[in-house]
Amino acid sequence: MHKTFEMNLPKLIEHFHSDEKCRSYLEAMRWPKGIACPRCGATTISLIQKRDQFDCNSCRYQFSVTAGTIFHDSKLPLWKWFLAAYIMTESKKGVSANQMKRMLSVSYKTAWYLCHRIRAAMKEGTVRPLSGVVEVDETYIGGRRKGVGQGSRRHKTMVVGAVERGGRVSLRVDKRATKKTLHAFVNAVDSDNAEAIYTDEWKGYRGIGDENTRHETVNHSEEEWVRADVHTNTVEGVWSLFKRSIVGSYHQLSAKHLDSYLDEMAWRFNNRDNPYLFRDTLVRLVGAETLEYKELIS
Ligand SMILES: [Zn+2]
């Protein structure tokens, strides 16, 4: 039962159709060496069967497997959390709160809050710098009104991204595409020994290479898109997926939450070949800090 397995919908239903099953899976995940009191660390614990709670024999603290975790929500059954996490990991373009509301039969507010908490758990902390060949590009999100076309960049939010060929993506919201912001981003996400950085010819990228890392550009303004293996098609593919997800799933996206949508996108992209993505997302959820509703709407 607690073995790792690749997830699909029939398996999800088979293994996690009840709160009891979800709870015992979380217990194994949270306490692989046996249940420990979250308050004092003692391992002599009694079970209060009726309330799905544990009682610490040392300090008498009563707790459940979700105590102190992001799962702690008195209203939402655990199996709906599991289902939501599965849906979000499996949907390449993401899922809107409205769609989640319909799929889980919960209120819009519950669905919205749930999606944001799962998204928050997907945020990756310190990660290995990108190496090898890295494509870097920037794009502009939002600010477009119906029938007005592209609109002015002044009303949009810039997102800058770097993708390691065959590897990970790093995405960040930044103020403006200046030489300073672009260079700072690349320095933060790229390994000093990256083999190459490929960008378009935008002057903000000038001087981004050094003796260890060559910098090559494709001249989009002169309709040059690919020169041998020099192109930025991978990172542009990330933009197009993200923009389709905004249009299709999220409808409107406030700049405030843009970072967390980028985290969600990066989590899926960086785990695109991970057969245990569902399990690994649950691991994140077990380890994630609680996120208050009022923090999200402040
Ligand atoms: Zn205790």
Side-chain angles (χ1 to χ4, degrees), residues 19 71 73-78 80-81 104 106 110 114 117:
D19 261 31
F71 288 105
D73 185 323
S74 52
K75 291 191 200 88
L76 198 65
L78 267 180
K80 289 198 178 184
W81 272 99
L104 296 189
V106 294
T110 298
L114 176 63
R117 281 176 292 176

Side-chain angles (χ1 to χ4, degrees), residues 12-26:
L12 187 81
I13 294 165
E14 183 189 341
H15 292 283
F16 301 120
H17 63 262
S18 71
D19 261 31
E20 194 192 341
K21 293 202 161 201
C22 296
R23 193 168 282 118
S24 63
Y25 189 75
L26 287 185

Side-chain angles (χ1 to χ4, degrees), residues 209-214:
D210 58 22
E211 61 272 25
N212 299 321
T213 308
R214 78 197 145 82

Side-chain angles (χ1 to χ4, degrees), residues 135-289:
E135 298 175 23
V136 181
D137 193 23
E138 79 288 345
T139 192
Y140 293 84
I141 307 282
R144 188 189 303 190
R145 278 175 296 152
K146 247 185 187 156
V148 185
Q150 286 288 100
S152 160
R153 282 188 172 178
R154 277 185 303 140
H155 303 297
K156 292 169 180 273
T157 307
M158 186 189 78
V159 176
V160 57
V163 186
E164 177 184 291
R165 289 264 176 94
R168 303 167 35 79
V169 67
S170 275
L171 303 168
R172 180 190 288 176
V173 175
D174 233 320
K175 282 192 268 319
R176 279 186 312 136
T178 61
K179 185 171 177 179
K180 196 178 164 198
T181 57
L182 295 173
H183 281 236
F185 170 74
V186 170
N187 285 334
V189 301
D190 262 32
S191 155
D192 284 343
N193 299 311
E195 180 190 327
I197 297 168
Y198 294 168
T199 67
D200 60 27
E201 73 288 3
W202 168 241
K203 60 183 186 325
Y205 292 114
R206 275 182 206 158
I208 218 156
D210 58 22
E211 61 272 25
N212 299 321
T213 308
R214 78 197 145 82
H215 174 216
E216 303 223 29
T217 62
V218 277
N219 200 344
H220 287 176
S221 60
E222 290 180 12
E223 309 254 318
E224 179 188 53
W225 305 100
V226 179
R227 189 180 64 251
D229 85 319
V230 181
H231 63 77
T232 54
N233 293 350
T234 320
V235 64
E236 282 162 40
V238 172
W239 298 147
S240 100
L241 194 60
F242 191 62
K243 287 178 182 183
R244 270 182 287 149
S245 81
I246 291 171
V247 174
S249 304
Y250 302 121
H251 308 295
Q252 59 186 48
L253 200 55
S254 68
K256 177 177 185 277
H257 296 297
L258 188 54
D259 270 320
S260 68
Y261 289 97
L262 292 171
D263 291 336
E264 178 190 349
M265 167 93 194
W267 175 248
R268 269 196 304 267
F269 186 90
N270 293 339
N271 285 285
R272 62 197 180 281
D273 299 320
N274 177 4
Y276 306 120
L277 176 57
F278 174 70
R279 178 205 62 190
D280 291 351
T281 304
L282 290 182
V283 169
R284 287 308 200 84
L285 281 158
V286 168
E289 306 253 314

